[in-house]
Amino acid sequence: MSFASVSRCLQQTSRTFARTKLTSWPLAVTYAILFSSASRWLELQQPPIAQPIHLPSQEYLEEEEIDAQVLAPEDVSLTITDRAAEQLRAIAKREGNPDAALRIAVDSGGCHGYQYKMELAKSRSGDDYQFTHPTIQPSNILVDAISLGLLNGSTVDFATELIGSSFRVTENPHAKGSGCGCGVSWELKT
């Protein structure tokens, strides 16, 4: 059962509970204990949010004529799942480079208007935000200043399927619906 489905179930149950007047005190206590336990489980299942460890400078963006504003660290977030962080750590170890990173960019194109572009990078560029998992390191992710506006608040995961393994951007708050079946192309919310 996914985090989102358990969360929806809890929300529905709490609405039902709020509409119902429980006359049995033990039943109300039992419900409260179950709800508290499920809420705690959800907290533990949610991947930690990675705050940026490096931000681009506004001077660099202006010098390079990049039309983007540097966001404050508290306004920037990217969730990196443990699976993605472990894979990034394995890549850095295999490359023998603790600065090795996954570069994620957003390009126009694809069947829904935008698409994710992912590649391995050996170093950071001047316009990059750098993220790392809070506990599994090195697990570097680089996002350029323009793409961050379309990725901020997203989750980066690593999926293994019968047809192959890949990094994926999921739960993008800027994407409309789940995007294309390929997992790469998506439509911007309007």
Side-chain angles (χ1 to χ4, degrees), residues 21-78:
K21 293 190 174 25
L22 291 179
T23 55
S24 168
W25 186 80
L27 184 59
V29 170
T30 302
Y31 176 79
I33 291 169
L34 287 172
F35 187 79
S36 174
S37 298
S39 297
R40 180 67 182 137
W41 179 83
L42 280 175
E43 283 177 22
L44 295 173
Q45 298 305 309
Q46 192 168 20
I49 295 174
Q51 298 299 317
I53 60 171
H54 178 269
L55 286 82
S57 71
Q58 191 62 47
E59 294 81 28
Y60 178 85
L61 296 178
E62 290 170 3
E63 184 178 297
E64 295 295 317
E65 298 180 2
I66 298 172
D67 188 20
Q69 294 293 317
V70 175
L71 300 175
E74 61 271 8
D75 296 333
V76 177
S77 70
L78 191 69

Side-chain angles (χ1 to χ4, degrees), residues 136-154:
I136 302 170
Q137 297 174 5
S139 56
N140 300 310
I141 293 182
L142 304 174
V143 179
D144 66 86
I146 293 176
S147 295
L148 183 70
L150 297 169
L151 286 170
N152 197 9
S154 298

Side-chain angles (χ1 to χ4, degrees), residues 10 12 19 74 77 100 105 114 138 142 147 161 175 183 185:
L10 276 176
Q12 179 63 37
R19 288 192 305 259
E74 61 271 8
S77 70
Y114 290 96
L142 304 174
S147 295
E161 299 171 345
S185 182

Side-chain angles (χ1 to χ4, degrees), residues 69-190:
Q69 294 293 317
V70 175
L71 300 175
E74 61 271 8
D75 296 333
V76 177
S77 70
L78 191 69
T79 302
I80 304 171
T81 65
D82 291 350
R83 281 188 306 250
E86 290 291 350
Q87 187 65 25
L88 288 166
R89 180 166 59 183
I91 291 169
K93 183 178 179 181
R94 186 179 66 233
E95 297 285 321
N97 179 3
D99 294 330
L102 174 67
R103 179 178 301 284
I104 304 174
V106 176
D107 288 338
S108 61
C111 53
H112 282 309
Y114 290 96
Q115 59 189 359
Y116 300 116
K117 180 181 174 188
M118 297 185 201
E119 62 187 15
L120 294 179
K122 295 187 184 299
S123 62
R124 186 179 70 235
S125 297
D127 66 331
D128 285 336
Y129 287 83
Q130 180 179 357
F131 299 89
T132 190
H133 190 279
T135 59
I136 302 170
Q137 297 174 5
S139 56
N140 300 310
I141 293 182
L142 304 174
V143 179
D144 66 86
I146 293 176
S147 295
L148 183 70
L150 297 169
L151 286 170
N152 197 9
S154 298
T155 298
V156 177
D157 194 12
F158 185 78
T160 302
E161 299 171 345
L162 290 174
I163 60 172
S165 303
S166 64
F167 288 98
R168 302 245 170 106
V169 175
T170 62
E171 300 175 27
N172 184 341
H174 307 284
K176 181 178 180 181
S178 60
C180 182
C182 66
V184 174
S185 182
W186 56 280
E187 184 178 352
L188 184 66
K189 281 184 183 176
T190 54

